[in-house]
Amino acid sequence: MASNHDTNPHLRAIVDIGSNGIRFSISSVDPKHARIFPCLFRDRAAISMYDAQHTRSSTASSSRQNTNLDLESLGKQHLISKLKEEDKLDLMSPISSEETSPPTSPVPTHQITEAEAIAAAEAAAGDKNDISETVISDVCNTLIRFKQICNDFHVADSNVRIVATEATREAPNSQQFRDAIYQATGWPVSLLTKSEEARSGAYGVASSFFEVQGLFMDLGGGSTQLSWITCKDGEFKMSDSPVSLPYGAATLTRRLQKSGSRAELAEEIKVRLASAIETINIPEELKADAETSGGFKLYVSGGGFRGLGHLLLARDVNGKDKYPLQIINGFSCNSTDIKDLFEEQAKVAAEQTETGKKQKIFRVSERRATQLPAVTLLVSSALEVFPNIRKLLFSQGGVREGVLFHDLPKEIRVQDPLYIATKPYSPYYADKYISLLRQAVPDIAPSVILRRIIPAVVNVAFVHSSYPRELQPISALNIATIGPVSGADGLSHEVRALIGLALCQRWGGELPEDGKSRSTLISVVSPRKLAWWALYVGHLLHVIGGVFPGGAAKDDQKLLKLEIVKIGKNNNSFRLGIKANLSDPRISSPMVKARINNLEKKLKKLSKEFGSESYKVHVDIEWV
């Protein structure tokens, strides 16, 4: 390891030993960008601690019979149907309609109790094997490699943390496993309790968004964590009684393979989820907010949910165009989207059965693909018994991000990740540009435009100054999708689209071909009026950037003054006043004067494009 004086005090290395794999990262927590903790290195070892303890043995063939006998002894014969060879679930085959839709087969006539559901889950769990010497050796070797990588990045030993979750916690030889890691690396393993695991996962989700308020599910390999969470103004809160359920992606996949009865397992899951919702004690203010807004937000994280999210991302939007972002963090959909997906997958499965071709999904491994039937079972069950869910939001943040976010002071947590991600590119007189823009945007504009988009778009207003003219609009459009800001944590897809649309218009908005990339990005935004406002801000900045192209707007009021003169009675129109000093060549030059004169024409064209989801803008120009 590097000597102390050679280490970087702002770097943190995290190892997360989970059920389905081991994840490594090195991130910076320098105060200037700690809110988005830029990741300098990340990797994953495909070593499943869950599989290591559930390896098939010679007695596997009798495990189903033993499970049935255990349940029968508990008086739960209604939970298990007789297994027939034709009922076995082949998880390597395409997802069928039965696997992707809410259960349609007859459910047990006996309404099972929570005690019976718990007994069924415990009986199905079976005995665990020791983590083998081979697996322990593989884990130690990956950690020795990571230790060398930490040395290359000058990470201090004191700033390396290994955290282990359920699979390690419940392994019969957990102590031996952790001792071996310590002997190989000199790093102790922090074994998280169930509540600590839930809290770390919730902090990870909070780090992935500007503000968080809703229900939370973290789907691991062996279990699912359920809670409610809020994080506003840097203040994090979650349930004092989070629930851990034995319904991880790997666990459910294994149970489906064993029992073959999807309907009975679904009934068991719904009973446990309904009880869990009561246990977490959702605060009255969250219930009131959900009632006002049309339902709860459900934040989901974990590899199983990410697999489902990538399946959704692979769908076409508007029936023809590909979804424009392939970043899982910040992606959102509603419950109807989920149900439509299940129906679409049933058709895909039928076609694949006929052609023999398997569905390939970007960023979904073969292992994850085999778990999708189990994940859809869990999600469909949750949507049935949870209070009304209006929006699902997918988070990349997990235990690693949660550990980092937990340690941040409140004054950093409260920061807007969009502003922090764009701040390094800020012009010297950014506050002057922000002031000019805000004077030209009426108070009827949404808060996200006034508070977040305007400061951020000013920060990156000159990033593409050196680009060829024909590349400026298209490069600006993609700044938060594949450009300089795309790697920042904490940005929703909607915010990524808004900043791209505004910045594209700042450079004139002229795109190659038919501008399909622009319209597809607009489709990400809901309500669509938000996209109109972003483009309006971009039009204004196109004018301001023409007058002050060098990032110096210190004498802005003498050259150019923008103000809202009047807002229409129905808040669907307003009048913008522009006062420009013709005595200064920065205004009177033909190319600049044309931008000012053509602004109203361009805004009319914008309103025509958006129809009823737009605003009428009249521009009064006073040349002085």
Side-chain angles (χ1 to χ4, degrees):
M1 200 71 189
S3 59
N4 289 335
H5 67 275
D6 289 333
T7 59
N8 185 332
H10 297 305
L11 295 185
R12 300 289 184 273
I14 308 289
V15 181
D16 172 18
I17 304 178
S19 297
N20 273 323
I22 303 175
R23 295 170 176 82
F24 309 85
S25 67
I26 299 175
S27 304
S28 173
V29 292
D30 188 313
K32 67 176 181 282
H33 54 216
R35 176 57 182 85
I36 59 174
F37 30 80
C39 193
L40 284 69
F41 171 85
R42 61 165 55 92
D43 203 356
R44 179 181 183 274
I47 302 174
S48 171
M49 304 308 298
Y50 181 89
D51 286 351
Q53 297 169 63
H54 295 86
T55 304
R56 294 182 182 274
S57 65
S58 58
T59 59
S61 59
S62 63
S63 61
R64 293 173 179 167
Q65 181 181 359
N66 292 338
T67 301
N68 284 340
L69 290 174
D70 289 341
L71 290 172
E72 287 170 1
S73 66
L74 291 168
K76 311 294 187 304
Q77 294 92 336
H78 56 274
L79 289 175
I80 301 295
S81 62
K82 294 181 180 179
L83 291 173
K84 296 180 180 179
E85 186 64 26
E86 61 268 23
D87 291 333
K88 291 179 182 177
L89 183 63
D90 180 7
L91 293 176
M92 295 302 292
S93 64
I95 303 171
S96 69
S97 57
E98 180 186 2
E99 293 164 353
T100 55
S101 305
T104 55
S105 53
V107 298
T109 55
H110 169 78
Q111 185 64 43
I112 67 173
T113 66
E114 184 183 3
E116 291 171 338
I118 293 172
E122 289 178 348
D127 295 329
K128 295 182 176 66
N129 303 323
D130 281 348
I131 302 171
S132 70
E133 292 293 338
T134 300
V135 172
I136 292 175
S137 176
D138 286 345
V139 172
C140 289
N141 282 332
T142 62
L143 286 167
I144 291 170
R145 171 182 178 264
F146 186 57
K147 189 178 181 75
Q148 293 170 338
I149 292 170
C150 288
N151 187 46
D152 291 343
F153 278 89
H154 302 283
V155 182
D157 260 336
S158 58
N159 288 337
V160 179
R161 186 174 178 189
I162 303 178
V163 292
T165 53
E166 181 187 33
T168 302
R169 185 174 62 241
E170 297 189 359
N173 61 335
S174 175
Q175 188 64 56
Q176 176 194 346
F177 174 58
R178 287 177 282 134
D179 288 345
I181 291 174
Y182 182 75
Q183 290 170 10
T185 64
W187 293 335
V189 178
S190 297
L191 196 60
L192 301 183
T193 64
K194 282 186 178 182
S195 60
E196 288 172 338
E197 184 177 344
R199 182 166 291 272
S200 293
Y203 269 104
V205 169
S207 76
S208 300
F209 299 90
F210 177 39
E211 292 180 339
V212 168
Q213 180 169 295
L215 305 179
F216 158 65
M217 287 184 77
D218 183 6
L219 177 60
S223 63
T224 295
Q225 318 296 325
L226 178 65
S227 181
W228 59 261
I229 54 173
T230 65
C231 191
K232 287 190 173 185
D233 300 323
E235 191 70 36
F236 176 87
K237 296 179 181 178
M238 68 176 289
S239 173
D240 292 328
S241 50
V243 176
S244 178
L245 298 172
Y247 302 128
T251 302
L252 285 177
T253 297
R254 186 166 173 264
R255 290 192 64 183
L256 281 171
Q257 287 175 315
K258 280 191 170 186
S259 73
S261 178
R262 187 180 179 89
E264 291 168 349
L265 182 54
E267 285 302 301
E268 176 196 319
I269 293 171
K270 283 186 280 188
V271 168
R272 298 290 299 275
L273 287 175
S275 174
I277 280 291
E278 296 297 322
T279 301
I280 64 175
N281 296 320
I282 303 172
E284 291 302 320
E285 55 265 32
L286 258 69
K287 292 179 181 178
D289 179 75
E291 186 173 347
T292 302
S293 59
F296 286 90
K297 290 181 178 179
L298 174 61
Y299 298 87
V300 296
S301 66
F305 280 131
R306 287 194 293 273
L308 180 63
H310 279 294
L311 192 59
L312 285 160
L313 289 176
R315 300 171 67 210
D316 293 345
V317 293
N318 299 328
K320 53 182 180 179
D321 301 323
K322 290 296 181 183
Y323 192 85
L325 288 85
Q326 291 303 314
I327 306 166
I328 194 63
N329 191 78
F331 171 60
S332 63
C333 68
N334 57 41
S335 55
T336 301
D337 293 327
I338 295 286
K339 293 171 184 175
D340 289 346
L341 173 69
F342 294 166
E343 293 179 3
E344 290 172 13
Q345 284 299 299
K347 296 176 182 177
V348 170
E351 292 174 3
Q352 290 176 344
T353 300
E354 188 174 329
T355 63
K357 293 182 179 179
K358 291 185 178 181
Q359 182 182 23
K360 292 184 179 180
I361 309 163
F362 177 67
R363 294 295 299 164
V364 178
S365 66
E366 187 174 288
R367 175 183 170 81
R368 287 292 184 202
T370 66
Q371 294 177 349
L372 282 173
V375 176
T376 57
L377 173 63
L378 179 67
V379 173
S380 61
S381 298
L383 292 177
E384 277 195 59
V385 299
F386 280 4
N388 185 40
I389 302 297
R390 67 179 175 88
K391 198 172 190 179
L392 278 80
L393 298 99
F394 291 80
S395 168
Q396 181 72 37
V399 169
R400 287 173 302 159
E401 292 79 6
V403 169
L404 293 171
F405 194 67
H406 173 272
D407 292 340
L408 294 181
K410 182 179 178 180
E411 58 268 22
I412 289 182
R413 283 188 203 160
V414 77
Q415 294 172 345
D416 182 354
L418 177 61
Y419 183 77
I420 298 302
T422 56
K423 186 68 171 66
Y425 311 99
S426 175
Y428 187 75
Y429 288 100
D431 58 328
K432 295 291 186 180
Y433 287 89
I434 293 171
S435 177
L436 270 170
L437 279 173
R438 282 181 170 160
Q439 289 171 9
V441 179
D443 292 339
I444 60 174
S447 173
V448 66
I449 299 295
L450 291 166
R451 289 175 56 202
R452 305 188 66 196
I453 299 303
I454 287 178
V457 77
V458 164
N459 281 345
V460 291
F462 300 95
V463 166
H464 301 95
S465 295
S466 64
Y467 283 44
R469 187 174 178 180
E470 59 269 27
L471 289 182
Q472 287 174 329
I474 188 67
S475 299
L477 184 71
N478 292 304
I479 190 170
T481 57
I482 56 175
V485 183
S486 59
D489 281 336
L491 308 185
S492 69
H493 281 204
E494 191 171 75
V495 160
R496 290 179 187 273
L498 292 173
I499 191 69
L501 291 167
L503 194 62
C504 174
Q505 202 59 57
R506 175 264 184 273
W507 290 108
E510 187 178 355
L511 297 170
E513 299 176 356
D514 57 0
K516 183 184 290 185
S517 55
R518 177 181 178 274
S519 62
T520 308
L521 208 57
I522 289 173
S523 69
V524 173
V525 180
S526 180
R528 201 162 177 258
K529 281 186 177 182
L530 280 175
W532 185 94
W533 281 109
L535 290 164
Y536 172 71
V537 168
H539 275 293
L540 295 176
L541 196 52
H542 183 58
V543 171
I544 296 170
V547 178
F548 305 107
K554 57 184 178 181
D555 53 352
D556 57 295
Q557 295 296 322
K558 296 178 182 178
L559 281 180
L560 185 70
K561 184 178 180 181
L562 307 175
E563 62 179 347
I564 298 299
V565 178
K566 184 181 180 181
I567 298 176
K569 290 182 180 179
N570 297 322
N571 286 344
N572 59 3
S573 65
F574 56 91
R575 189 174 293 274
L576 171 66
I578 299 179
K579 186 180 290 187
N581 189 344
L582 269 178
S583 65
D584 194 301
R586 286 176 291 180
I587 293 289
S588 60
S589 296
M591 67 284 285
V592 177
K593 192 175 179 181
R595 290 191 185 191
I596 297 173
N597 280 326
N598 291 333
L599 180 60
E600 182 170 7
K601 179 182 177 180
K602 290 183 175 181
L603 291 176
K604 284 182 178 178
K605 183 179 179 181
L606 179 65
S607 293
K608 184 178 180 180
E609 176 188 353
F610 277 74
S612 61
E613 296 175 296
S614 69
Y615 298 78
K616 293 181 179 179
V617 185
H618 303 281
V619 181
D620 297 331
I621 303 172
E622 181 182 355
W623 302 103
V624 296

